[in-house]
Structure formats: structure tokens, C-alpha cells
Amino acid sequence: MFEQALHWFIDLGSTVFIPIIIIILGLVVRLKPSKAIVAGLTIGIGFIGLNMVVALMQDSLGAAVQAMVDRYSLSLSIIDLGSGPGGPLAFSSTLGVLMIPIAFGVNLVLVWLGMTKTLNVDVWNLWQPTFVGLMVWGVTGNYALGLVSMVPIFLLQLLCADLAQPKLSKFFGLPGIAITHLMALSGMVLAVPLNWVFDHLPGLDKVKIDSETIEKKFGVLGDPIIIGFLIGVVIGLCAGYDVSQTLQLAVQMAAVLKLLPKMIAMFMEGLTPIAEATQAFTEKHLHGRDVNIGMDAAITVGNPSVMATCLLMIPVTLFVAVVLPGNKVLPFGDLPLLVFVFTLMVAAFKGDILRSLIGCTIYTVTELYLASWMAPAVTTAFHVANYDVGSGVVSFVSAGLWPNVIGLAAAENLGFAGVAIFTLVVLAALFYVNRVKKFNQ
């Protein structure tokens, strides 16, 4: 009965169940019912608008990517299905159903203990810990091991969210909000030290190329609409489009860069009263502890430097995949979704597009190698969830995230002991960051 109810709730879609969660949270933290309802519905509207813009981007870029693959006769042995099926796949399994109450329970306990400042309401991206559980279950044949292996991945989401929140809040202007999207958070572990290296490289330390600098130095060329248009022209030329197709793609990319910030503004309009009420509630009932609301990285993708970097990374990623020795994954399904992989890396590089392109390219190399290595486990995860992927081996670029690799390797090689060690290490890190170091207070 509980499983059926949970499946029904998830099947409502993120445009419905996230607003419901926000409304309930608003009521819990003593926000007026009218304000809680308006806040929840505003966030739902933001999701609808965002999904429409992202769908436009995916449809336009998907055709361009296919054209590039065909034009240059690109062929590798592993199909990139994209991370899109990951959510439906995870929540169609019993592991996905169990992950939701486990995550909420663990999160509330850690907030009460002061071991995290993040209250995660991003239910949809719980599919990422669940996907690790599915891989472990598929590879080992042990359902219980798959179940417990989801926990340290969720804890890692909270740890990364806590560490990243100050930088992201400042760059994106998101007070009281944390990002709990592990796909986006993972890249910051590389980007932060890389940015330090770039700061100390002669020449590169004096170069600053972000949307604001471009607009200041080149006038209208720095406008997000023009940036989107020009990038659309570049991608169209790489795809071998004719003039008409290239101009259509260019205008569509200009529309994406202009409309995304408008949709993100809807999120902030709805989240601001919830964040303020949550802070007031926790100060009164949780010994004055600060709590940040954990959300999807979707609320960050409207930044012009983010979109410019991610659109330029599409042809770069294809090129890297083809020339990289030992890589077996041909990027395809994940290419239009690279914005969710790279968005927080751009923030770590302070919006500098040149640094972001270099850093994201380096990160792409690691992802492709790890995605190739993870392909058998990814394929098995689809099989245990009764998802038909044919007889071949499948993967996707963002399957090669380092948390996925650590979670799978710990469970596969050391069993329950490996999962326990991984869990204790992350818990110790949470304790140190939030109780000992008192980070971001």
C-alpha cells in the first residue's frame, strides 16, 4: 500500500510533487497557508517553464548532435543513453521507493544533530544514490547490499552541498539555498583546486573572460542573446547545417539563454519566503542552527557564463571522446544535459568561460574513462530494473562520476564492510565540517 502510494506521488511529476513538498515544508515552518501555497505553486510554474526551455534545448541540440555524429562518421562501442532514463528507472524499483523515507529520516536526524546544514527537498535527484544501489544489486546479486550502499551516496550529497553552499550562494545569488544535485556537485571537487592552479599560472591568472567582461569590452556581443546566437551558429556549422537550419538553431539557442534566467527567477520568488521561514523556525526550535534548503541544480543553469560554457562543450566533448585513447563511450544522450554536469564548475571558476572550458574538458576526460569502465554495471542496473536496453552494453557520460565509482567499488570489492567504511568516513567528514570546523557560520 505504501509503495503504491509513493509510486503514485512520484508519478505526479516534479512539477507537482516538489510544490507539494514545498507547501508542506512551508506549513511545518509556520508560514501562512496562503503564502505557502503561493510559494509552492510559483516553484511549480518555474519547473514547467524550465522544462519547456530545456526541452527546446534538448530537441534542437539533439538533432545537431546526431548530424555531427553522422557527418563525421563517429562510432564507438558503447551507446550513451543519457542520464534522462535514470530517474524513471530508479523510482520504478523498490530501492527507489525505499530511498525516499530513508533519505528524509537520515537528513532530519543529521540536521537535529547539527551534522549538516542542508535540508534536502530535491526528491527527484535521489535517483542518483538509488542508481548506485541498482548497480551494486546487479553486480553482486545482493539486494540488501544494494539497499545499504545508497546511504553513503546520499550522505555525500549532503557533505558536498554543505561545502559548496557559500560559493554557490555568492555566485548565483541564492541565500539560504544549497544544491544537492550530485551530478552537478561532483565536478566542483576538481574545479576548486584547478581554479587555484589557474590563479598561479603566468598569463592565465590575468585573463578574465565572462559574460560581463565580454559585454563591457565588446558591447552588444556580450549580451546573452548574442552569445547564444553565435554559439548556435558554431554548432550549426559543426553539424553541417545549411543557412536556414543554422539560423533556426542560432535563434533557438538565443531564446534558451534569454528565457532560462526568467524561469530561474520564478524559483527564487517561490523559495525566498520558504527559506526565510525555515531559518526562523530552526533558530527557534533547533537551538539556533542555520538550515539551507537543498534544491536541484536547475535553479543555477540560467547564468549566461554557464550556458555559454555548456553549449561550447558539446562539440568539445564529441571531439575528446573520439580522440581519447581507450574511451569506448560515444557521447550522445547526455550532451544536451551537460549543463547540469558543468554548471557548478563554472561557479567554481567564478564565471570565467576560458577557465571553465579548460576545466570542464579535463573533467570530461575522467568522466569518459570512468563511464567506459562502469558500462557493464550500468547495463546490469538497467536489467535488474527490467528496463529493455537490447543486447548491447550501454552507459552515459555522467555515469562516470567519481561518487558512483567509489560507491560501486566499495560494495563490490569489500561488501558490507566497504559500505560501512565509506559511510563512516562521510559521517566523520560531516561531523568535522559542521560540528568541529563549524564551516560557513
Side-chain angles (χ1 to χ4, degrees):
M1 185 67 179
F2 171 75
E3 182 178 345
Q4 290 177 332
L6 210 48
H7 272 302
W8 175 84
F9 182 64
I10 294 169
D11 288 341
L12 292 173
S14 59
T15 58
V16 176
F17 72 69
I18 292 294
I20 291 175
I21 292 173
I22 292 296
I23 291 170
I24 294 173
L25 176 60
L27 295 175
V28 169
V29 297
R30 303 294 190 268
L31 193 65
K32 290 183 178 180
S34 59
K35 290 186 176 181
I37 293 171
V38 169
L41 291 177
T42 302
I43 291 170
I45 293 168
F47 264 114
I48 291 172
L50 180 67
N51 290 342
M52 291 170 63
V53 179
V54 171
L56 170 64
M57 181 176 67
Q58 288 179 302
D59 292 343
S60 304
L61 294 178
V65 168
Q66 182 65 66
M68 279 189 274
V69 170
D70 295 340
R71 184 185 189 195
Y72 299 107
S73 302
L74 305 181
S75 178
L76 292 167
S77 60
I78 298 176
I79 301 171
D80 171 18
L81 290 181
S83 55
L89 174 80
F91 291 121
S92 67
S93 69
T94 54
L95 286 181
V97 172
L98 291 172
M99 184 66 228
I100 296 174
I102 290 172
F104 272 115
V106 169
N107 197 174
L108 289 173
V109 169
L110 291 176
V111 168
W112 181 70
L113 292 174
M115 290 177 61
T116 183
K117 295 180 67 176
T118 302
L119 179 62
N120 180 45
V121 301
D122 181 20
V123 176
W124 181 252
N125 282 307
L126 293 176
W127 77 263
Q128 293 177 297
T130 304
F131 194 78
V132 173
L134 286 171
M135 288 193 291
V136 171
W137 177 21
V139 169
T140 66
N142 190 325
Y143 180 86
L145 184 59
L147 180 65
V148 298
S149 66
M150 300 188 298
V151 175
I153 304 298
F154 174 68
L155 295 176
L156 197 59
Q157 282 184 307
L158 298 179
L159 175 63
C160 291
D162 285 340
L163 291 171
Q165 197 276 334
K167 188 179 293 292
L168 300 182
S169 178
K170 181 179 180 180
F171 182 79
F172 293 112
L174 300 172
I177 306 298
I179 303 301
T180 49
H181 194 164
L182 194 59
M183 184 189 298
L185 287 166
S186 300
M188 288 196 71
V189 175
L190 173 66
V192 171
L194 259 184
N195 194 56
W196 181 88
V197 172
F198 293 158
D199 281 338
H200 294 80
L201 281 179
L204 192 59
D205 61 330
K206 294 180 174 62
V207 177
K208 178 68 173 178
I209 305 177
D210 58 13
S211 59
E212 293 179 359
T213 304
I214 294 172
E215 187 169 7
K216 183 178 179 180
K217 290 186 176 182
F218 299 99
V220 69
L221 290 177
D223 189 292
I225 294 178
I226 303 301
I227 292 174
F229 183 86
L230 293 175
I231 292 174
V233 170
V234 171
I235 295 175
L237 293 175
C238 290
Y241 279 0
D242 59 27
V243 174
S244 174
Q245 291 172 310
T246 299
L247 290 176
Q248 288 178 22
L249 178 62
V251 174
Q252 288 167 338
M253 293 304 98
V256 167
L257 260 70
K258 185 64 176 178
L259 292 174
L260 272 175
K262 307 290 186 183
M263 299 303 104
I264 304 309
M266 297 292 292
F267 282 99
M268 293 314 301
E269 184 181 337
L271 282 171
T272 299
I274 298 292
E276 291 173 350
T278 301
Q279 294 291 359
F281 181 85
T282 54
E283 286 176 10
K284 182 177 180 180
H285 298 283
L286 291 177
H287 311 295
R289 293 194 180 99
D290 292 330
V291 175
N292 300 307
I293 299 175
M295 289 292 294
D296 192 304
I299 65 174
T300 67
V301 300
N303 182 276
S305 292
V306 169
M307 288 305 305
T309 299
C310 296
L311 290 174
L312 289 171
M313 279 302 299
I314 291 175
V316 170
T317 300
L318 270 174
F319 174 77
V320 169
V322 173
V323 302
L324 197 61
N327 171 56
K328 299 178 182 179
V329 177
L330 177 64
F332 183 74
D334 250 0
L335 287 180
L337 301 174
L338 290 179
V339 63
F340 297 106
V341 178
F342 297 139
T343 177
L344 304 191
M345 293 186 71
V346 177
F349 293 121
K350 301 179 182 178
D352 189 294
I353 297 174
L354 177 60
R355 291 188 181 198
S356 298
L357 286 172
I358 297 171
C360 292
T361 300
I362 294 171
Y363 188 55
T364 296
V365 171
T366 68
E367 281 194 295
L368 288 170
Y369 276 132
L370 293 176
S372 298
W373 179 77
M374 296 276 285
V378 172
T379 306
T380 304
F382 279 94
H383 288 160
V384 297
N386 297 315
Y387 195 101
D388 185 14
V389 292
S391 57
V393 178
V394 299
S395 188
F396 48 94
V397 176
S398 56
L401 303 178
W402 58 267
N404 295 347
V405 175
I406 294 175
L408 177 63
E412 185 178 8
N413 295 309
L414 299 174
F416 286 100
V419 175
I421 293 170
F422 188 14
T423 302
L424 289 174
V425 168
V426 183
L427 280 174
L430 281 166
F431 183 83
Y432 175 78
V433 167
N434 290 295
R435 293 297 302 271
V436 178
K437 189 72 174 177
K438 298 187 184 299
F439 182 74
N440 193 26
Q441 283 193 0

